Amino acid sequence: MSANESPKNALFTREFSQNPYPVYARLREEEPIAKLMFPDGQFGWMITRYEDAVEVLKDNRFIKDMTKIYGSTGQSIFTSNMLFSDPPDHRRLRGLVQQAFTPKLIEGMREHIQQIADKLLDAVEGREHIELIDDYAFPLPIIVISEILGVPTSDQDKFRIWSNSIIGASNSEGSSEVYQHMQEFTAYLGTWFEKVRREPGDDLISQLIAAEEAGERLSEQEIYGVVSLLIIAGHETTVNLIGNGIISLLQHPEQLHMLRDNPDLIKGAIEEMLRYNGPVEFSTSRWAGEDLEFRGHSMKRGDLVVVALDSADRDGSQFDDPDLFDITRERSRHLAFGHGIHMCLGAPLARLEGEIAVNTLLRRFPNIRLREDAGKLEWRPGMIVRGVKEIPLSL
């Protein structure tokens, strides 16, 4: 990207996917509230500065419920959840599931998550090489969320295919295959819900089914939406937190050695991994709910607004030496889990899984290294998550 070329021209290229941060730095400097065309062909606004990002994420003039703009057009089970709703529906939907994700309940899962991590690493003991995503970073959180929901962990590979397809569609990869995967996912959930109705347990889906049958609290469309969100979001953030975090450590060996020798630094290390190369690159879509002015920009009702979370978390006005990866950094008010009423309710679970996964890996295999140059790793396309497809490691 030349100095005279607009940084907007470099967005969403392969080079951008490999390292978006130089582009973000120029956008924050030259056009922090940028009007552009997104990969799916929509025109909208991208917010890249931290202060502006926080304001958008908590400003109720920017709405999440697309039906208020477009009617029911484009609505699906994947948008019938708290992530794509506004108050009072948001409060009702979130209230039904947040009881399963309180910090106290999550902390009570520590020992079990540790057992899962150890079992996964037991399975690769004695091997010279592993593929971090397939062997460890993916199965750990999908096992945990499957157990919370009560769906079979043996179906985790199906969830991965469906999740990758649905998230990939955010980058205009939509196709008949994506539609087929959505149909398969919906059919799977329908079959599972019928089983739970016959044989309820003490899992979260059983609780949601009971709430649905009690009436007025959850519609059938909403139960599909909430469960699909929990399956997808319940593992995607952690997969990429672990993957991106390990890459950052391997690219900064002094930080890796510090954490390996001082595992008590893990909480701060996880926060820095979330800030430095966060697992969720962009917020999900918001729309201007009315004609409005934001930071001197006139926005029309229905305008799409997206926050570049990973850009905000490298803003030098908020973070000292923002491009420095430092696991001893003091308290970090990063936006990796969002901000405001839509802040990720699974954040305590993702943090705990990340802490256990990273420390256990470094304890069991203290000499891990990448088997190829980090610049050759293939980053997943899409407008939401930031993560690599594969991380080949030597043990």
Side-chain angles (χ1 to χ4, degrees):
M1 179 177 60
S2 69
N4 295 326
E5 184 182 3
S6 169
K8 292 192 293 188
N9 294 337
L11 289 168
F12 314 122
T13 62
R14 184 181 183 281
E15 292 73 22
F16 174 80
S17 296
Q18 294 291 117
N19 180 15
Y21 298 104
V23 178
Y24 286 145
R26 280 194 54 187
L27 280 170
R28 289 194 303 271
E29 181 67 27
E30 299 173 19
E31 201 171 351
I33 301 173
K35 187 80 176 283
L36 52 88
M37 186 173 75
F38 290 99
D40 62 1
Q42 292 189 82
F43 277 94
W45 302 88
M46 179 185 287
I47 312 298
T48 53
R49 284 182 182 166
Y50 182 95
E51 185 179 351
D52 298 337
V54 168
E55 192 62 34
V56 167
L57 294 173
K58 67 181 185 181
D59 190 333
N60 60 16
R61 296 179 301 169
F62 298 106
I63 61 176
K64 299 299 298 289
D65 184 352
M66 68 169 63
T67 64
K68 295 176 180 176
I69 303 296
Y70 300 110
S72 59
T73 303
Q75 189 182 32
S76 71
I77 67 164
F78 304 104
T79 57
S80 298
N81 55 59
M82 54 275 194
L83 192 60
F84 296 97
S85 62
D86 302 308
D89 285 337
H90 172 269
R91 191 178 306 110
R92 173 176 58 85
L93 293 170
R94 188 177 176 111
L96 286 167
V97 298
Q98 66 183 7
Q99 59 194 349
F101 294 93
T102 63
K104 183 178 180 180
L105 283 176
I106 297 303
E107 184 59 32
M109 299 175 64
R110 179 180 291 274
E111 184 177 346
H112 182 54
I113 295 173
Q114 182 65 64
Q115 291 170 351
I116 294 171
D118 283 326
K119 185 176 180 180
L120 290 170
L121 293 182
D122 286 345
V124 300
E125 188 80 49
R127 285 165 50 179
E128 293 184 8
H129 309 130
I130 64 169
E131 201 291 287
L132 183 69
I133 302 297
D134 284 349
D135 291 326
Y136 191 52
F138 168 74
L140 188 151
I142 199 68
I143 289 170
V144 173
I145 195 63
S146 295
E147 290 180 350
I148 290 173
L149 289 169
V151 294
T153 57
S154 57
D155 289 332
Q156 61 182 250
D157 288 336
K158 295 179 183 177
F159 298 148
R160 186 179 187 183
I161 291 170
W162 295 330
S163 175
N164 285 345
S165 183
I166 293 162
I167 286 178
S170 69
N171 198 37
S172 188
E173 292 189 325
S175 63
S176 58
E177 185 180 58
V178 172
Y179 180 75
Q180 177 187 336
H181 288 158
M182 289 181 174
Q183 295 293 99
E184 291 172 357
F185 193 15
T186 305
Y188 176 93
L189 293 180
T191 300
W192 189 253
F193 293 164
E194 287 306 312
K195 179 180 184 301
V196 171
R197 285 189 171 96
R198 293 192 305 270
E199 305 169 21
D202 58 1
D203 53 81
L204 183 53
I205 288 181
S206 294
Q207 295 174 29
L208 293 172
I209 292 286
E212 178 205 26
E213 292 178 343
E216 296 186 2
R217 297 185 65 197
L218 201 67
S219 69
E220 183 176 4
Q221 178 88 347
E222 287 170 341
I223 193 171
Y224 276 94
V226 169
V227 173
S228 63
L229 171 66
L230 292 174
I231 290 175
I232 295 173
H235 79 275
E236 280 286 358
T237 299
T238 308
V239 171
N240 297 311
L241 164 57
I242 297 169
N244 297 2
I246 292 297
I247 291 171
S248 297
L249 287 171
L250 291 169
Q251 290 179 310
H252 300 83
E254 75 290 348
Q255 300 289 306
L256 186 151
H257 297 155
M258 187 190 308
L259 181 58
R260 183 188 63 193
D261 297 340
N262 302 276
D264 289 345
L265 295 174
I266 188 61
K267 288 189 181 296
I270 292 297
E271 297 310 305
E272 182 66 345
M273 292 171 189
L274 288 163
R275 183 202 70 83
Y276 182 77
N277 199 8
V280 181
E281 188 162 4
F282 298 96
S283 69
T284 48
S285 301
R286 284 166 170 75
W287 290 270
E290 59 190 66
D291 292 348
L292 58 88
E293 184 172 296
F294 182 80
R295 298 285 200 264
H297 295 270
S298 296
M299 299 182 179
K300 299 293 185 183
R301 181 180 183 275
D303 277 5
L304 173 66
V305 181
V306 173
V307 174
L309 301 171
D310 279 355
S311 173
D313 284 342
R314 292 281 192 106
D315 189 335
S317 69
Q318 177 68 24
F319 305 98
D320 294 333
D321 294 321
D323 295 322
L324 178 69
F325 180 67
D326 178 8
I327 65 170
T328 65
R329 187 182 292 273
E330 294 187 4
R331 187 168 180 260
S332 172
R333 300 183 65 180
H334 61 72
L335 302 179
F337 291 117
H339 185 79
I341 65 170
H342 290 283
M343 188 170 180
C344 176
L345 65 80
L349 178 59
R351 284 185 164 105
L352 180 60
E353 290 172 332
E355 291 172 19
I356 292 171
V358 172
N359 261 359
T360 306
L361 180 66
L362 296 186
R363 185 184 76 247
R364 297 279 299 269
F365 301 103
N367 300 311
I368 57 170
R369 59 181 176 82
L370 281 172
R371 294 182 61 204
E372 62 181 52
D373 185 272
K376 295 181 180 179
L377 297 174
E378 185 178 358
W379 292 83
R380 293 170 58 187
M383 269 291 294
I384 301 176
V385 302
R386 175 161 176 77
V388 291
K389 293 183 176 181
E390 295 180 343
I391 305 176
L393 291 182
S394 170
L395 300 182

